Amino acid sequence: MMKTPRIAARSPAVAMIDACWAASVFTLFPAMFPGPLGQSLAGEGLRQGRWSLSIHDIRDHGLGRHRAVDDTPAGGGPGMVIRADVLAASLDASIATDDPRPRLLMSPRGRPLTQSRVRALAQGPGAVLICGRFEGFDERVITARGLEEVSIGDYILSGGEIASLVVLDACVRLLPGVMGKEASGEDESFERGLLEYPHYTRPREWEGRTIPEVLLSGDHARIRAWREAEALRITRERRPDLLETARKD
Ligand code: SAH
């Protein structure tokens, strides 16, 4: 293969930095970021400019001497609600009205995140992620600023920060150059509507347990067929709902 001249090797990287996948996070706990995403491959990708992260403290737009962001729920009931005017002021100060990125509000009421949504997000320009606390946000800001509620699963977290780290981690690993070919994805759970087949590595025998003979056979057609059958078996056992969805599609 011909050696690529240095300058040519470098210019696409520069272009990528200009237009890198951009995340903007709105939170009451800015110190929680980048958190785990500053480590490992996501962290290296961040340092290399393959994606960017800007953190906005919602409290910067809080009201009064105490920078209040929340108030008691209209109609009564427990907990506190984050004010519409405070979140709107925070968003408006940093996100242009023509910003093409989806504005995702972390919320257990949202549409559950799926791998296909993650893939679509990763292919786009980035995302604005808004993290709730307490009982969540005044409904009016959700409508007025076109926020899309996204859930990471049917359970309640204490805040949206971990949820947005989940969304970001899932997206960032798919960005070009962040992971090696592992993230190419074709074989991974969910990518084909199936859970993944089991993996093995050395040693060949461990605590009296061996590796399925077919995987040591070198016969790639047989290996592929075995993996396919195992993926189907595991999906049928654990997540029959995925097979239902795949059939409908
Ligand atoms: N009262 C709300 C829950 C508030 S939990 C309700 O019953 O729907 C506080 C914050 O944590 C939420 O505003 C949201 O930002 C975040 N959060 C909690 N569970 C979540 C989930 N499953 N997915 C995404 N975000 C979640």
Side-chain angles (χ1 to χ4, degrees):
M1 216 177 71
M2 221 175 70
K3 259 194 164 173
T4 324
R6 279 196 87 159
I7 186 73
R10 205 159 29 198
S11 39
V14 170
M16 198 162 59
I17 287 164
D18 288 339
C20 83
W21 199 86
S24 295
V25 175
F26 291 78
T27 173
L28 289 167
F29 294 93
M32 289 189 184
F33 296 88
L37 298 184
Q39 305 280 315
S40 190
L41 297 175
E44 273 162 44
L46 189 56
R47 285 183 288 278
Q48 290 167 357
R50 296 185 193 277
W51 65 292
S52 71
L53 180 62
S54 57
I55 304 300
H56 306 274
D57 187 347
I58 298 170
R59 201 171 291 283
D60 289 346
H61 294 269
L63 305 170
R65 202 156 50 87
H66 298 293
R67 298 213 167 277
V69 296
D70 56 343
D71 212 327
T72 54
M80 296 294 273
V81 176
I82 305 176
R83 293 172 55 117
D85 51 356
V86 171
L87 180 63
S90 177
L91 288 171
D92 295 349
S94 307
I95 306 295
T97 44
D98 62 351
D99 191 314
R101 295 173 295 167
R103 291 184 273 253
L104 311 178
L105 177 71
M106 301 301 111
S107 162
R109 299 190 319 187
R111 185 195 299 231
L113 187 70
T114 60
Q115 187 63 20
S116 63
R117 184 72 208 281
V118 165
R119 218 180 304 120
L121 285 169
Q123 280 160 8
V128 176
L129 299 111
I130 301 150
C131 309
R133 280 275 154 179
F134 324 122
E135 296 309 317
F137 295 93
D138 184 308
E139 190 72 21
R140 292 169 293 179
V141 70
I142 303 176
T143 323
R145 291 297 178 275
L147 309 183
E148 174 192 345
E149 292 180 73
V150 171
S151 167
I152 64 155
D154 291 343
Y155 38 77
I156 307 291
L157 304 168
S158 55
E161 287 74 15
I162 291 173
S164 66
L165 288 169
V166 167
V167 176
L168 287 175
D169 182 85
C171 292
V172 161
R173 64 186 288 285
L174 296 181
L175 300 176
V178 170
M179 286 184 77
K181 58 180 179 342
E182 311 92 279
S184 63
E186 281 136 38
D187 275 351
E188 267 165 342
S189 292
F190 306 119
E191 286 291 353
R192 298 174 309 141
L194 293 179
L195 301 178
E196 204 181 42
Y197 50 80
H199 295 290
Y200 298 87
T201 185
R202 281 180 270 273
R204 207 170 163 134
E205 188 179 329
W206 175 74
E207 294 193 347
R209 294 162 195 265
T210 52
I211 294 174
E213 186 279 325
V214 55
L215 298 179
L216 308 170
S217 69
D219 180 339
H220 295 295
R222 265 183 73 213
I223 293 172
R224 207 174 314 116
W226 180 87
R227 285 179 167 164
E228 190 69 25
E230 283 294 288
L232 257 173
R233 176 185 66 77
I234 289 172
T235 309
R236 202 173 289 125
E237 278 171 21
R238 301 181 187 177
R239 294 289 305 278
D241 58 300
L242 292 178
L243 293 176
E244 258 323 296
T245 322
R247 206 168 296 138
K248 276 191 214 122
D249 292 347

